[in-house]
Amino acid sequence: MATKHISSALPAPALSAAYPMANPGYGKRSAPGQQARTRTDFSLLPTRERYVAGFVDHLPEGAVMSVKQLAKQLPLYGQQAISTALNALSVAGHLRRVRCSVTNASDETRWVFRTFWSRTARDSEWWNAYLATENSTLAASSGPDIPASDAALPPLGGPAEEPPPAPEDPGTEQAPELPAVPRQRTPDQEPAPGAEPAPPAPEAATSTSPAYLALARLGRDDHRLTLSAADCAALEAQATEWLDRGVTVDYLTGALTAGLPARVDSPLGFVRRRLVDKIPPRLPIENARSSSPGPARRILMECTDCGRPGRPEALLDGLCRPCREAHSLGEEDATRTAEIADVKLRMSNLRELLKPV
């Protein structure tokens, strides 16, 4: 005779056949070394966290892990509840959110966002060691990480890559004979009489320095540090001094974007101040030659709650210090609320027992 197993855990909802997948390079990533799936997984978690964890655990690789999309698939809870549950799962050691620096086939670098998931709870030391291994693997790889069709960035030298404007009179026969790129006039050439002066040729994108490109991409990594072309030109000399001291572009980007405040009123002043305050020391030439450069940091962990990037060692339990303190206070409030409810229930039972029969 079959026996029905009764469990207090909410059953995980069935996966929709049309559950959206993230772009290549984004979404869910499963950590290695997980235990086999059993009926007692996540049994020590609260009901809401157990419900969300069971759903996330069954998602395929590369699935969208945004709070908004998870709330659409989990009708029992809203976005705020899902966000709080993900914070609790991060503290419990089941997930970490990171941003990875990847290079496409066009040798262009961008940051992609991934969520590493582990059915087996891991402590912070295990996650730090695993992410350090992933960082070394990405730094050692020389091929493209994501397809060019899915990760192509808009070129920074915009006007140089755009097709030339069409002539005013489309019916003339001289239009097909115009070159694709306007040729520069040599000094010994004289303009034809009556001809309009040719517009100056745009500066080639290859002449842009790595420091300028790193500053221009800050706004794409974090919108709070969006810089204009004039701002990048004004800060180019300071950023170049960083690169002259032997640091990489990834190191420069990480130093400028780590630990950003919630709001940056003046990106130009903020970046200039950091370029001055955090400039690395200049190593002696003999030491620089003898020491072998370590792998460039291509993985930055993010706070699960606010998304602030930083080194894994600085984000204990996957949360930054302000969010970790807020999470601790929330747990204390929840425990106090549960104790008050328990006392009220006991008093209600005592009143029922004291009533005359």
Side-chain angles (χ1 to χ4, degrees), residues 239-287:
T240 302
E241 188 177 355
W242 279 56
L243 301 182
D244 292 342
R245 298 193 176 204
V247 302
T248 62
V249 174
D250 290 336
Y251 181 92
L252 172 62
T253 303
L256 295 178
T257 57
L260 292 178
R263 179 180 178 183
V264 178
D265 296 327
S266 175
L268 173 61
F270 184 85
V271 175
R272 177 185 288 115
R273 189 65 185 176
R274 283 208 165 183
L275 288 174
V276 174
D277 294 344
K278 292 191 174 185
I279 186 169
R282 188 184 300 275
L283 297 178
I285 299 178
E286 56 273 10
N287 294 343

Side-chain angles (χ1 to χ4, degrees), residues 308-332:
R308 177 179 299 175
R311 292 180 176 272
E313 298 82 5
L315 300 178
L316 185 63
D317 295 332
L319 298 175
C320 63
R321 181 180 300 176
C323 295
R324 188 163 58 249
E325 293 175 354
H327 181 79
S328 301
L329 293 177
E331 287 185 344
E332 294 177 0

Side-chain angles (χ1 to χ4, degrees), residues 96-293:
R96 289 292 187 273
R97 292 191 184 273
V98 302
R99 58 173 64 180
C100 306
S101 173
V102 297
T103 306
N104 60 11
S106 302
D107 200 21
E108 295 175 334
T109 303
R110 71 178 302 174
W111 293 91
V112 298
F113 302 91
R114 298 172 180 171
T115 300
F116 287 94
W117 171 261
S118 174
R119 184 184 313 111
T120 305
R122 309 290 189 178
D123 55 14
S124 297
E125 289 74 15
W126 186 94
W127 279 112
N128 295 346
Y130 171 67
L131 293 179
T133 304
E134 287 290 311
N135 179 74
S136 301
T137 303
L138 288 178
S141 63
S142 57
D145 300 292
I146 51 179
S149 59
D150 296 306
L153 290 171
L156 292 177
E161 300 294 335
E162 295 176 357
E168 297 181 359
D169 187 5
T172 58
E173 299 179 357
Q174 296 180 357
E177 299 178 1
L178 292 176
V181 179
R183 299 178 181 177
Q184 297 182 357
R185 179 169 50 86
T186 57
D188 56 347
Q189 290 179 345
E190 296 295 335
E196 297 181 358
E203 184 181 358
T206 55
S207 63
T208 307
S209 65
Y212 184 93
L213 294 176
L215 294 171
R217 289 195 175 100
L218 287 178
R220 299 179 183 178
D221 297 339
D222 197 304
H223 66 88
R224 290 171 288 184
L225 295 183
T226 303
L227 299 174
S228 65
D231 297 341
C232 295
L235 299 174
E236 183 178 2
Q238 291 178 274
T240 302
E241 188 177 355
W242 279 56
L243 301 182
D244 292 342
R245 298 193 176 204
V247 302
T248 62
V249 174
D250 290 336
Y251 181 92
L252 172 62
T253 303
L256 295 178
T257 57
L260 292 178
R263 179 180 178 183
V264 178
D265 296 327
S266 175
L268 173 61
F270 184 85
V271 175
R272 177 185 288 115
R273 189 65 185 176
R274 283 208 165 183
L275 288 174
V276 174
D277 294 344
K278 292 191 174 185
I279 186 169
R282 188 184 300 275
L283 297 178
I285 299 178
E286 56 273 10
N287 294 343
R289 292 180 179 177
S290 60
S291 62
S292 58

